[in-house]
Amino acid sequence: MDVLWDVLIIGAGPAGGLAALDCAKQGLRVMLVEQRSFPRWKVCGCCFNNQAQAILSSRGETTLFADCGGQRLDSLRLGLRGREASLALPNGYVLSRELFDQALINAAIKAGASARFQMTAQVEEARPNYRCVRLKDHQSGTTSHVNARVVLVAAGLSQRCLPQNEAGQSRIRKQSRHGAGCVVDDDTDHYPSGAIHMAIGNQGYVGLVRREDGLLNLAGAFDRDALSQGQGAVDAAQNVLNQAGFPVPPALQQGQRWQLTPALSRTSNVVAGDRFLVMGDAAGYVEPFTGEGMAWALTAGAAAAPFVLEGLERWTEDLEMRWKATLQVHIGRRQTVCRALSSVLKRPASTTVLFELVKRWPSIAESIVSSLNEEKLPSPKGEPCH
């Protein structure tokens, strides 16, 4: 007889990984499905703020960053038209996604979760007490079906795991920028560890951080037009760095492999349905700046288990509405601040005004950053906690 999984999680990023860990610790039968092989690199700033650390600590992963060699972050260095400003960052960390995601998955497996990689998942029809999910193995090309009483969809910005009639629409915001990133071997002293180096240009921005292995991680958000010109992301990044007055790492011009993302700023009008919950980037995203993206994903992952446990007993429309409210309270309100900053940075005049304010009154900007870092844990009872 086929195993009926309590919860099947699609996507092994921070949201899916933490949800798998949390649900496994509750004694549930957890299957985690990921389309790529691990460890893997992906476009990301690799920064974790105070909220991200609080979430991990609340789940018993208090030493994950230290165990993986994560580097402390204490400042944000901004560059605009040859001028610089610095802000203090409260309790930040840098850790590569290769190490972080793998460590989180290892913890979930140790807690009892089952993980399958290089496998695509497609949610199929709903049955009275479970969902059927079709799996395709990338290596063998074979397909199989599994059943799960609850499905968590954490499959990224452009997830297409749900049936078309249930998936709703992902609305991309006007003038949304696209992400791009790479890792370079840079032995210069222009970008020391301990800081996020943020270069601001006319058609985007680039964040540079020194990873635990000494490599330099670049992650940017660019106007679509900037990525369609010349050598794409390479030229876009160099233009932003030059405009900001930051030196271009020599290795950036040596044919580095860049990854691109779909449009970043988007909202989804469906985050829950018949025995499924959508979480992480798949539920909506805004361009982040100082580690907010990872905190949002981990917060969603930490919020899921109470809803899963309740749904195993009885799935209701009220549960779905409370999940939507939980995402709004714990993530949506924080994203509002980043959305406002993103809008400002798309206008040269307003960017200049904001930069002057940061230079003159850094404490105001630091209070905004602190608000994005504020610890707020999801309710263990599945309530939004207004």
Side-chain angles (χ1 to χ4, degrees):
M1 182 178 179
D2 292 340
V3 174
L4 177 61
W5 298 90
D6 290 321
V7 55
L8 185 143
I9 303 169
I10 306 174
L18 190 60
L21 171 62
D22 223 8
C23 290
K25 283 186 173 181
Q26 298 287 341
L28 303 183
R29 290 166 293 186
V30 180
M31 175 187 284
L32 181 64
V33 178
E34 166 60 42
Q35 66 176 348
R36 298 176 64 181
S37 59
F38 271 42
R40 57 91 175 89
W41 179 85
K42 66 174 298 181
V43 179
C44 181
C46 299
C47 299
F48 299 82
N49 64 15
N50 196 53
Q51 167 71 1
Q53 294 176 66
I55 292 291
L56 290 170
S57 296
S58 72
R59 267 52 187 176
E61 299 299 320
T62 55
T63 64
L64 188 150
F65 291 111
D67 292 345
C68 292
Q71 301 295 297
R72 286 278 187 178
L73 276 176
D74 55 31
S75 63
L76 171 63
R77 172 193 173 210
L78 301 170
L80 176 70
R81 302 189 189 98
R83 302 178 65 200
E84 292 189 13
S86 292
L87 301 173
L89 277 182
N91 196 29
Y93 263 102
V94 172
L95 182 61
S96 65
R97 291 294 299 273
E98 297 97 312
L99 289 187
F100 177 77
D101 289 10
Q102 187 67 64
L104 199 55
I105 297 308
N106 289 345
I109 293 173
K110 184 177 180 181
S114 175
R116 302 184 185 181
F117 298 94
Q118 297 188 61
M119 191 167 286
T120 303
Q122 183 67 41
V123 182
E124 296 189 337
E125 69 273 14
R127 302 294 174 83
N129 295 307
Y130 63 88
R131 297 296 301 231
C132 183
V133 181
R134 184 176 76 251
L135 303 179
K136 182 176 180 179
D137 190 306
H138 293 184
Q139 292 181 305
S140 66
T142 59
T143 60
S144 60
H145 288 81
V146 296
N147 299 321
R149 298 168 70 189
V150 178
V151 175
L152 300 181
V153 179
L157 287 171
S158 55
Q159 72 84 13
R160 294 182 178 85
C161 306
L162 294 168
Q164 188 173 359
N165 64 324
E166 295 182 81
Q169 294 182 340
S170 181
R171 185 173 69 87
I172 299 174
R173 296 185 68 86
K174 187 178 180 180
Q175 296 182 326
S176 174
R177 284 174 165 164
H178 292 249
C182 72
V183 177
V184 300
D185 188 355
D186 176 73
D187 58 2
T188 67
D189 58 1
H190 297 301
Y191 300 104
S193 62
I196 300 174
H197 309 273
M198 184 72 72
I200 304 170
N202 295 332
Q203 291 188 292
Y205 59 86
V206 177
L208 306 94
V209 292
R210 188 72 63 176
R211 305 188 341 166
E212 74 284 345
D213 54 7
L215 297 177
L216 192 62
N217 187 89
L218 290 83
F222 304 99
D223 292 346
R224 184 175 181 178
D225 289 346
L227 292 172
S228 64
Q229 300 170 5
Q231 298 182 67
V234 177
D235 285 352
Q238 290 188 105
N239 288 339
V240 168
L241 292 169
N242 287 328
Q243 290 168 6
F246 281 10
V248 176
L252 199 63
Q253 302 171 345
Q254 298 172 4
Q256 294 296 321
R257 177 174 168 266
W258 285 76
Q259 278 189 17
L260 304 180
T261 76
L264 294 171
S265 294
R266 58 179 66 208
T267 56
S268 176
N269 66 344
V270 172
V271 295
D274 192 351
R275 293 195 169 271
F276 72 82
L277 304 176
V278 182
M279 59 198 303
D281 298 355
Y285 196 70
V286 179
E287 297 163 26
F289 297 95
T290 61
E292 298 84 15
M294 297 301 293
W296 299 332
L298 290 169
T299 301
F307 289 89
V308 172
L309 289 168
E310 180 183 339
L312 293 177
E313 295 296 325
R314 182 169 175 262
W315 195 270
T316 64
E317 290 186 8
D318 177 68
L319 182 154
E320 296 173 13
M321 294 300 296
R322 281 186 286 113
W323 175 253
K324 183 177 182 179
T326 294
L327 293 183
Q328 176 58 31
V329 168
H330 290 279
I331 300 170
R333 291 177 181 175
R334 295 174 189 254
Q335 288 182 341
T336 300
V337 178
C338 287
R339 187 177 295 114
L341 287 173
S342 174
S343 296
V344 168
L345 293 178
K346 290 182 176 70
R347 301 176 178 86
S350 58
T351 300
T352 300
V353 172
L354 179 62
F355 188 83
E356 291 299 327
L357 292 175
V358 170
K359 288 279 290 184
R360 294 185 183 185
W361 297 287
S363 60
I364 296 177
E366 288 171 353
S367 67
I368 295 174
V369 173
S370 294
S371 71
L372 294 172
N373 279 263
E374 182 183 4
E375 295 181 20
K376 187 173 183 181
L377 302 181
S379 168
K381 297 181 180 180
E383 298 296 335
C385 293
H386 292 278

